[in-house]
Amino acid sequence: MLRPRIPTMPTPTGIVTPLIVQPTHIEQQYPATACACQHSPAAAPAHGPAPAVRPALQMTPGTLLALVGGGAAVVLVVGAVLVSMLLAVAVTAASVAVCAIVVRSLLNNPHKRF
């Protein structure tokens, strides 16, 4: 009587068409070789590594100043949010403590009040 009953999936009504999945052909693309020069296999190690695809990031003084300013702004905003949340918790805890003291004083001395 108190056992939960799991509902069964209702059977579909009407004409049901099965889902047909068509296989697709996946064409793989291979990356180009590191260098297209024609040299002998003996000279291959002297050729060196392939050139880098992305150049190194160059920082100008303006870019560096913008990054430092942005980071400082993020730190200040996150700090202000965290401090305000801590202050909200502290104010709530203090008000709950005051309410608890008032309720305790009302319950401990009911005959002295009237």
Side-chain angles (χ1 to χ4, degrees), residues 39-47:
H39 51 76
S40 65
H47 186 59

PDB file of all heavy atoms in Angstrom, residues 39-47:
ATOM      1  N   HIS A  39      65.470  19.410 -50.346  1.00  0.00           N
ATOM      2  CA  HIS A  39      66.835  19.203 -49.883  1.00  0.00           C
ATOM      3  C   HIS A  39      67.035  17.729 -49.598  1.00  0.00           C
ATOM      4  O   HIS A  39      66.093  16.948 -49.515  1.00  0.00           O
ATOM      5  CB  HIS A  39      67.158  20.061 -48.656  1.00  0.00           C
ATOM      6  CG  HIS A  39      66.150  19.930 -47.551  1.00  0.00           C
ATOM      7  ND1 HIS A  39      66.092  18.850 -46.719  1.00  0.00           N
ATOM      8  CD2 HIS A  39      65.153  20.765 -47.175  1.00  0.00           C
ATOM      9  CE1 HIS A  39      65.102  19.015 -45.863  1.00  0.00           C
ATOM     10  NE2 HIS A  39      64.514  20.164 -46.115  1.00  0.00           N
ATOM     11  N   SER A  40      68.287  17.367 -49.415  1.00  0.00           N
ATOM     12  CA  SER A  40      68.600  15.956 -49.190  1.00  0.00           C
ATOM     13  C   SER A  40      68.275  15.574 -47.752  1.00  0.00           C
ATOM     14  O   SER A  40      68.238  16.423 -46.861  1.00  0.00           O
ATOM     15  CB  SER A  40      70.090  15.712 -49.468  1.00  0.00           C
ATOM     16  OG  SER A  40      70.852  16.426 -48.518  1.00  0.00           O
ATOM     17  N   PRO A  41      68.044  14.277 -47.467  1.00  0.00           N
ATOM     18  CA  PRO A  41      67.751  13.853 -46.097  1.00  0.00           C
ATOM     19  C   PRO A  41      68.894  14.119 -45.132  1.00  0.00           C
ATOM     20  O   PRO A  41      68.669  14.294 -43.944  1.00  0.00           O
ATOM     21  CB  PRO A  41      67.490  12.356 -46.229  1.00  0.00           C
ATOM     22  CG  PRO A  41      67.162  12.134 -47.669  1.00  0.00           C
ATOM     23  CD  PRO A  41      67.876  13.199 -48.424  1.00  0.00           C
ATOM     24  N   ALA A  42      70.135  14.185 -45.608  1.00  0.00           N
ATOM     25  CA  ALA A  42      71.267  14.442 -44.724  1.00  0.00           C
ATOM     26  C   ALA A  42      71.230  15.879 -44.204  1.00  0.00           C
ATOM     27  O   ALA A  42      71.711  16.166 -43.111  1.00  0.00           O
ATOM     28  CB  ALA A  42      72.578  14.177 -45.449  1.00  0.00           C
ATOM     29  N   ALA A  43      70.660  16.800 -44.949  1.00  0.00           N
ATOM     30  CA  ALA A  43      70.628  18.202 -44.552  1.00  0.00           C
ATOM     31  C   ALA A  43      69.384  18.531 -43.733  1.00  0.00           C
ATOM     32  O   ALA A  43      69.220  19.661 -43.286  1.00  0.00           O
ATOM     33  CB  ALA A  43      70.676  19.094 -45.792  1.00  0.00           C
ATOM     34  N   ALA A  44      68.506  17.571 -43.515  1.00  0.00           N
ATOM     35  CA  ALA A  44      67.264  17.838 -42.803  1.00  0.00           C
ATOM     36  C   ALA A  44      67.485  18.267 -41.357  1.00  0.00           C
ATOM     37  O   ALA A  44      66.848  19.215 -40.911  1.00  0.00           O
ATOM     38  CB  ALA A  44      66.354  16.626 -42.881  1.00  0.00           C
ATOM     39  N   PRO A  45      68.371  17.636 -40.564  1.00  0.00           N
ATOM     40  CA  PRO A  45      68.536  18.091 -39.183  1.00  0.00           C
ATOM     41  C   PRO A  45      69.098  19.505 -39.077  1.00  0.00           C
ATOM     42  O   PRO A  45      68.831  20.213 -38.128  1.00  0.00           O
ATOM     43  CB  PRO A  45      69.484  17.078 -38.568  1.00  0.00           C
ATOM     44  CG  PRO A  45      69.363  15.865 -39.411  1.00  0.00           C
ATOM     45  CD  PRO A  45      69.061  16.364 -40.788  1.00  0.00           C
ATOM     46  N   ALA A  46      69.884  19.937 -40.046  1.00  0.00           N
ATOM     47  CA  ALA A  46      70.475  21.268 -39.989  1.00  0.00           C
ATOM     48  C   ALA A  46      69.447  22.347 -40.329  1.00  0.00           C
ATOM     49  O   ALA A  46      69.698  23.530 -40.114  1.00  0.00           O
ATOM     50  CB  ALA A  46      71.650  21.358 -40.950  1.00  0.00           C
ATOM     51  N   HIS A  47      68.309  21.930 -40.862  1.00  0.00           N
ATOM     52  CA  HIS A  47      67.291  22.903 -41.269  1.00  0.00           C
ATOM     53  C   HIS A  47      66.640  23.572 -40.060  1.00  0.00           C
ATOM     54  O   HIS A  47      66.241  24.715 -40.127  1.00  0.00           O
ATOM     55  CB  HIS A  47      66.252  22.196 -42.141  1.00  0.00           C
ATOM     56  CG  HIS A  47      65.239  23.111 -42.729  1.00  0.00           C
ATOM     57  ND1 HIS A  47      65.590  24.154 -43.551  1.00  0.00           N
ATOM     58  CD2 HIS A  47      63.895  23.152 -42.624  1.00  0.00           C
ATOM     59  CE1 HIS A  47      64.497  24.789 -43.919  1.00  0.00           C
ATOM     60  NE2 HIS A  47      63.453  24.191 -43.370  1.00  0.00           N
TER      61      HIS A  47
END
